[in-house]
Amino acid sequence: MRAARLIKMVLLLQSRPSMTAAELARELEVSERTVTRDAQALSEAGVPVYADRGRAGGYRLIGGYRTRLTGLARGEAEALFLSGVPGALREMGLQDAASAARLKVSAALLPSLSDASRTAAQRFHLDAPNWFKEPKTPELLPAVADAVWDDRRITARYRGREAERSQDVVRELEPYGLVLKAGVWYLCARVAGQSDSYRVYRIDRFAVVTVGEERFDRDEEFDLPGFWDERAEQFARSLLRAEVVVRLSGDGVRRLPYTVDPLSAREALAAAGAPDGEGRVTVTLPVESEEVAHTQLAALGPEAEVLAPESLRARFAGDAARLAALYGT
């Protein structure tokens, strides 16, 4: 632990002209007294750490000293490619590896480029969760992430869908990849012993995860982004179990993809016939349920007229009557 901290201290001083004891203590997460002891240990080991006294003082390396300890470990290199998503790194327990990797890269850069990481951070930040939702990190995410990085099999007990909640399901899985979608973490995994059985699991539904010692042989042809896109589309379509017939104004046509599932809206509009005499277009739209359709289509107001099913049309007729009573002359 101390050796890693000393290396980090040297890399910090190498990447900046000088740092105060307070700044070093904050970066290294130790006390200023520990910083003083570490600086003395480095000096005794031959690293030219110099301490400037006084209010404007601090620690610096003298004589153009450059350490050669800049080689990236595999974990650091992998974490570096995720450094644009600091929240995800933190949740997976990889923030230390990413920090060490950034320091080593900074130490290897020319002095004129030493501020590259700071300027990039000033210009780009990714905030993945949806608005108005409090993101919650699954407790078992770091263990699952470790298994993903090391290609280790896991035994997972998880809660199934609503119809299966009476009994948890236990499976041995080969964890292939993690996906963060709108603040929710998913695991893409292959069921052990079934070469073509790739599935998606919500990590917050895992009750217990045991990481085994056995490594699995990863299929190098597996394409995580492509697999996720395909399964996400299948999942979205599987939710659309009902149909409604809607007559839309021109404004309703433009707003429909922003109100319901965009892909379903585009396909329904593409299959629609020509506008009628009033310039309205009739579409048959797949929806999750009548209840969901009522909520979604209500956002279109008078730009959408529900023609079928009759029960949904009756709902909107009731809404219109109540609105007329509230706003009528």
Side-chain angles (χ1 to χ4, degrees):
M1 175 66 75
R2 190 188 186 198
R5 190 175 71 242
L6 292 174
I7 292 173
K8 186 174 182 179
M9 184 174 179
V10 173
L11 292 172
L12 283 168
L13 293 174
Q14 185 171 310
S15 62
R16 307 180 194 181
S18 69
M19 295 183 69
T20 66
E23 289 171 337
L24 284 168
R26 186 167 54 252
E27 290 280 356
L28 299 172
E29 298 181 346
V30 296
S31 66
E32 293 185 31
R33 185 183 297 273
T34 299
V35 168
T36 300
R37 288 198 296 266
D38 286 351
Q40 183 177 353
L42 286 171
S43 181
E44 292 173 354
V47 178
V49 177
Y50 180 77
D52 289 316
R53 305 296 178 184
R55 177 179 296 182
Y59 292 92
R60 60 187 175 89
L61 294 174
I62 61 175
Y65 180 84
R66 305 288 292 180
T67 178
R68 295 183 180 274
L69 297 172
T70 53
L72 291 177
R74 169 171 288 276
E76 295 169 347
E78 291 169 338
L80 186 61
F81 284 102
L82 296 172
S83 58
V85 284
L89 281 169
R90 188 167 51 251
E91 292 177 6
M92 288 189 290
L94 295 173
Q95 66 272 30
D96 289 341
S99 176
R102 285 193 296 269
L103 279 172
K104 290 181 177 182
V105 169
S106 296
L109 292 174
L110 295 171
S112 59
L113 301 177
S114 61
D115 65 342
S117 61
R118 178 181 60 82
T119 56
Q122 288 176 334
R123 288 162 173 79
F124 176 77
H125 174 69
L126 176 65
D127 185 10
N130 275 339
W131 287 104
F132 313 118
K133 288 187 178 180
E134 186 68 29
K136 184 178 180 181
T137 304
E139 293 182 4
L140 296 173
L141 175 60
V144 175
D146 284 345
V148 170
W149 291 118
D150 290 342
D151 292 339
R152 293 187 184 275
R153 287 184 177 179
I154 64 173
T155 301
R157 179 162 61 88
Y158 70 97
R159 299 179 295 275
R161 295 178 180 175
E162 293 294 336
E164 305 169 353
R165 288 287 172 88
S166 59
Q167 185 174 358
D168 287 353
V169 180
V170 179
R171 280 205 174 93
E172 186 177 8
L173 302 174
E174 297 173 349
Y176 265 68
L178 295 168
V179 175
L180 177 60
K181 170 72 171 180
V184 179
W185 283 96
Y186 296 87
L187 172 68
C188 300
R190 182 170 64 182
V191 178
Q194 302 180 31
S195 59
D196 295 325
S197 183
Y198 292 96
R199 303 185 183 185
V200 176
Y201 302 87
R202 275 186 63 144
I203 294 181
D204 58 7
R205 288 185 181 165
F206 284 149
V208 177
V209 170
T210 304
V211 180
E213 294 297 324
E214 181 183 0
R215 284 188 168 88
F216 63 90
D217 293 326
R218 175 179 288 269
D219 180 2
E220 297 301 331
E221 299 298 318
F222 179 77
D223 175 19
L224 179 60
F227 171 78
W228 174 258
D229 288 344
E230 179 183 343
R231 287 305 173 92
E233 182 178 337
Q234 290 176 0
F235 175 73
R237 288 182 178 278
S238 72
L239 296 176
L240 306 178
R241 300 168 183 158
E243 284 187 345
V244 298
V245 181
V246 187
R247 186 167 171 257
L248 300 164
S249 68
D251 192 37
V253 168
R254 287 188 293 273
R255 290 165 53 187
L256 186 67
Y258 303 98
T259 306
V260 300
D261 175 64
L263 180 61
S264 299
R266 288 194 294 270
E267 290 180 349
L269 290 169
D276 60 20
E278 297 180 9
R280 288 182 172 254
V281 175
T282 299
V283 300
T284 300
L285 184 70
V287 294
E288 186 173 343
S289 66
E290 185 174 312
E291 186 72 33
V292 172
H294 177 245
T295 301
Q296 293 175 330
L297 295 176
L300 296 177
E303 310 306 324
E305 177 191 1
V306 173
L307 302 179
E310 185 59 36
S311 55
L312 182 57
R313 182 177 174 87
R315 283 197 187 200
F316 278 100
D319 291 346
R322 289 195 298 274
L323 285 171
L326 287 173
Y327 296 103
T329 57

